[in-house]
Amino acid sequence: MRTKITVVGAGHVGATVAQLLAYRELGDIVLVDVIEGLPQGKGLDLLESGPLEGFDCRVVGTNGYEETRDSHLVIITAGVARKPGMSREDLLKTNADIVKSVAESVAKYSPEAFVIVVSNPLDVMAYLTKRVTGFPKNRVMGMAGVLDSTRFRTFIAMELNVSVEDVQATVLGGHGDSMVPLPRYSTVSGIPISDFLSPEQIERLIERTRKGGGEIVSYLKTGSAFYAPASSVVQMAEAILKDKKRLLPCAAYLEGEYGLHDIYLGVPIKLGAGGVEEIIELKLTPEEQDALSRSAQGVKKAIDQLQL
Ligand code: NAD
């Protein structure tokens, strides 16, 4: 049977995700958006790049869900993005309405699907999606940690003038300015970054990572980042579809891990054909645990505002 991947939202992130999925031939792609003609136009345009790029998956664009029926994986990017001066939390009400309606259709048409949520505020939208679909926790996850980590990796590589290939980094917590980059678990070819960088330098890179999304928004002015977010989503999609059992930081549903209950938050997970196959519990220092708990409080507050 062919693998079907639905991408809901054919805007900056959604269309770029579709492009990367096609280039990697990860499955047939259905692009969904509420704007008439947008997913059809982008879908056809992408399909027509197939003979040149050498992929032969199907790509269709649609305003409805019939074509999405029985998708293996659904990626939710529908919603509005930030403009300068806005926090991710400012998007809460608008995107909650959008994501709720999308999640209802996903549950109806693809009841066995894995779902990667991208819409912001990320951790809250992932929680909402799980609640609305009623899917088990291994099948609903949010993309944020991979993006936050790739930003941290990029800044470390730039600072040290070394290849990004050799830099690994871990970022936990909610997707927002309260995220928790973990320099202890960040390395260059296995060597801790503290061997290369002063505490002040590390703090500066952490701060830039925390505000990494806002930095792009302030340049773009009319929208937010999409290349690195799309690559992050596709890394997660590939881990699931190819059963890679990758260890990646993702927003996952916690039931006691890290002392947190009934919440989505960024933690390291094992991602494979079973979706979230395992939540890895790192031994955090008291300061790191504090920072994670503070980050969780912000997410909880936003979840409460939804009055589910
Ligand atoms: P965008 O405005 O370019 O695209 C969003 C698309 O969603 C639009 O085409 C819009 O028509 C569509 N849409 C709105 N309501 C819909 C509905 N009910 N059904 C289907 N489609 C609908 O925005 P973008 O830059 O692609 O960002 C999308 C979302 O992803 C935003 O919420 C943004 O904040 C978020 N985002 C998250 C991360 C992350 O790390 N998790 C990173 C980047 C962006």
Side-chain angles (χ1 to χ4, degrees):
M1 202 167 92
R2 296 176 72 102
T3 301
K4 192 194 278 190
I5 309 167
T6 287
V7 182
V8 187
H12 287 96
V13 178
T16 313
V17 165
Q19 184 181 23
L20 295 175
L21 292 171
Y23 282 13
R24 290 171 200 195
E25 283 189 331
L26 288 176
D28 294 331
I29 297 153
V30 184
L31 201 51
V32 182
D33 202 287
V34 282
I35 298 177
E36 240 172 77
L38 184 77
Q40 293 86 345
K42 288 192 178 179
L44 183 60
D45 189 18
L46 176 56
L47 188 69
E48 289 166 357
S49 71
L52 300 173
E53 293 297 337
F55 65 82
D56 69 356
C57 37
R58 299 171 193 152
V59 186
V60 292
T62 171
N63 302 117
Y65 282 83
E66 194 52 53
E67 304 264 17
T68 73
R69 196 178 282 283
D70 295 328
S71 295
H72 296 82
L73 174 65
V74 178
I75 297 160
I76 302 179
T77 76
V80 292
R82 283 198 288 168
K83 305 245 161 53
M86 289 173 84
S87 75
R88 293 177 180 89
E89 284 63 35
D90 290 335
L91 309 174
L92 184 65
K93 178 76 181 78
T94 312
N95 283 356
D97 290 343
I98 293 171
V99 169
K100 183 168 179 286
S101 77
V102 170
E104 282 164 358
S105 299
V106 171
K108 181 169 169 206
Y109 287 88
S110 300
E112 302 301 325
F114 292 89
V115 184
I116 301 175
V117 181
V118 184
S119 312
N120 272 319
L122 189 272
D123 308 270
V124 190
M125 294 304 124
Y127 184 92
L128 178 64
T129 301
K130 180 178 181 301
R131 179 64 78 87
V132 173
T133 56
F135 288 0
K137 61 179 181 174
N138 64 305
R139 286 206 272 127
V140 181
M141 66 214 85
M143 185 290 291
V146 177
L147 173 62
D148 297 330
S149 300
T150 195
R151 284 184 174 141
F152 196 27
R153 289 169 68 183
T154 305
F155 300 146
I156 293 167
M158 282 163 66
E159 186 80 7
L160 291 173
N161 192 22
V162 296
S163 167
V164 285
E165 281 174 39
D166 293 329
V167 181
Q168 288 297 333
T170 297
V171 178
L172 304 186
H175 185 49
D177 297 350
S178 69
M179 70 180 74
V180 188
L182 293 181
R184 257 180 346 115
Y185 290 117
S186 303
T187 63
V188 181
S189 282
I191 304 160
I193 57 168
S194 53
D195 283 19
F196 302 98
L197 296 166
S198 69
E200 294 74 30
Q201 278 176 303
I202 293 173
E203 199 42 50
R204 181 161 46 76
L205 301 186
I206 287 178
E207 205 42 34
R208 189 168 178 194
T209 303
R210 285 211 177 99
K211 306 209 163 117
E215 186 176 2
I216 307 285
V217 172
S218 68
Y219 280 123
L220 296 181
K221 297 185 183 66
T222 53
S224 59
F226 54 98
Y227 289 121
S231 295
S232 306
V233 171
V234 172
Q235 186 173 72
M236 289 173 65
E238 191 168 33
I240 297 170
L241 297 169
K242 293 190 175 171
D243 191 20
K244 292 190 107 171
K245 310 219 182 288
R246 294 208 57 177
L247 226 148
L248 299 173
C250 302
Y253 187 69
L254 302 182
E255 287 179 303
E257 298 89 352
Y258 294 94
L260 299 164
H261 294 268
D262 192 32
I263 189 170
Y264 267 83
L265 207 64
V267 291
I269 63 168
K270 194 203 276 180
L271 199 56
V276 181
E277 296 184 353
E278 198 180 326
I279 290 173
I280 316 294
E281 280 200 80
L282 303 174
K283 282 197 181 65
L284 299 182
T285 64
E287 294 78 36
E288 290 163 348
Q289 182 64 47
D290 269 5
L292 193 66
S293 303
R294 268 199 310 279
S295 183
Q297 276 166 18
V299 174
K300 270 266 193 230
K301 216 168 117 194
I303 290 173
D304 288 345
Q305 279 177 37
L306 290 181
Q307 297 180 327
L308 294 170

